[in-house]
Amino acid sequence: MRTSKSVRHPLREIVYRFNDPIWVADTAIRTVTTVWDRFSPSTFAGLYRKIRSHTMCSNARLRALFHGVEYVVRHDVAGDLVECGCARGGSAVLMALTPRHLGTHRPLWVFDTFEGLPAPTSNDPDFEIADLFTGTCLGDIAEVRHLFERLGVAEGVHLVKGLFQNTLPAAEIQEIALLHIDGDWYESVKTCLESLYDRVTPGGVIQFDDYGYWQGARKAVDEFFEFRAIRADLRRIDYSGRSFVKPLCDH
Ligand SMILES: C[S@@+](CC[C@H](N)C(=O)[O-])C[C@H]1O[C@@H](n2cnc3c(N)ncnc32)[C@H](O)[C@@H]1O
C-alpha cells in the first residue's frame, strides 16, 4: 500500500522520537499539563487559552516564556522583547499579552520568513528527519498581524519578514530584555546568537525552544557559548526548551 508524503512524514518522526524514553515521558507530562491549563484559573492558563491554537510550542515552554517576560518586566531589565521564529504567532502574541497583564508595555520584534521553514543544512546532524520539515510551520504575516490586532496588542509590534541571515544583522534594536529563539536549524540559531547575543542586556533572558529537539539547534548553542567562552548555565524547561539568564560578566 502506498502512503502519501503527508502521512509518512509524521509517522517517520514519531518512530524516530519514540526511541528516546525521555521524550516519551515528557510527552505524557505535557499532555497532563496541557489538559489542566484548559481549565486552570491561573493567569498563565488564561493567556495560554487565547493563543494555544496558534502555536506549536509546548505548554511548559510557553509557561517559561510567560515567566521570562514577567521576570524582565518585574526586575526592570531594560530592552525590547524579540522572537526569532513565530510561525502562526502564538508564542509571540503571548510575549505581548504578558506585559499588558502586568500593566505595562514593551516593544516586540518578531522575525520570520513567513514562508515556512528554510531547508536545514549538512550542519544539522539529524538532517534526514529535519529536511522533512522544509516549508512547514508556515505562518502568514497578515494572519499573524490580525491575531495581534484581534487580541488588542498590535501597538509597538514589528513583524519583520525574511531570512534571519538577512534581517537580523541590520535590525534597529538597541537592547533586548528577552530573546526567544525558535528557529529549529543550526544556521538559524547560530545567526540569531551571532546577531543578537551582544544586544541582550546583562540580566536579560534568552529562551531556546529547540535545544533538546533538533540536534543542529543544540550544536549552534553549544558552539557559540564555547567559542565565546561563556559559562552557559542552561535551565532545563522540558525535553526541548532551555533558558538562560545572561550573566553580568561573560566569563
Ligand atoms: C517551529 S516554528 C516557530 C513556532 C512558533 N514560535 C509558535 O509559537 O508556534 C519555526 C519558525 O522559524 C522560522 N525560521 C526558521 N529559520 C529561519 C530563518 N533562517 N529565517 C527566518 N525564519 C526562520 C520558520 O519560518 C518557522 O516559522
Side-chain angles (χ1 to χ4, degrees), residues 51 54-58 62 65 83-93 111-119 135-139 160-168 180-185 187-189 191-192 209-210 214:
I51 56 96
H54 302 274
T55 183
M56 284 163 258
C57 296
S58 74
L62 292 165
L65 193 58
E83 177 170 88
C84 300
C86 79
R88 295 175 54 233
S91 54
V93 172
F111 296 87
D112 204 293
T113 59
F114 293 103
E115 293 179 354
L117 276 166
T136 66
C137 302
L138 178 63
V160 186
K161 180 176 162 71
L163 278 173
F164 300 155
Q165 289 84 332
N166 300 330
T167 55
L168 294 181
H180 183 217
I181 300 182
D182 190 1
D184 295 24
W185 311 147
E187 294 296 343
S188 303
V189 174
T191 302
C192 294
D209 193 77
D210 308 299
W214 292 115

Side-chain angles (χ1 to χ4, degrees), residues 82 84 111 118 121 123 162-171 176 179-200 208 216-217 219-221 223-224 228:
V82 177
C84 300
F111 296 87
T121 65
N123 274 316
L163 278 173
F164 300 155
Q165 289 84 332
N166 300 330
T167 55
L168 294 181
I176 300 173
L179 172 61
H180 183 217
I181 300 182
D182 190 1
D184 295 24
W185 311 147
Y186 175 86
E187 294 296 343
S188 303
V189 174
K190 178 178 149 90
T191 302
C192 294
L193 285 169
E194 287 180 350
S195 304
L196 301 179
Y197 181 84
D198 290 332
R199 299 189 230 180
V200 176
F208 301 102
K219 186 169 129 184
V221 173
E223 274 182 14
F224 178 82
R228 297 282 295 262

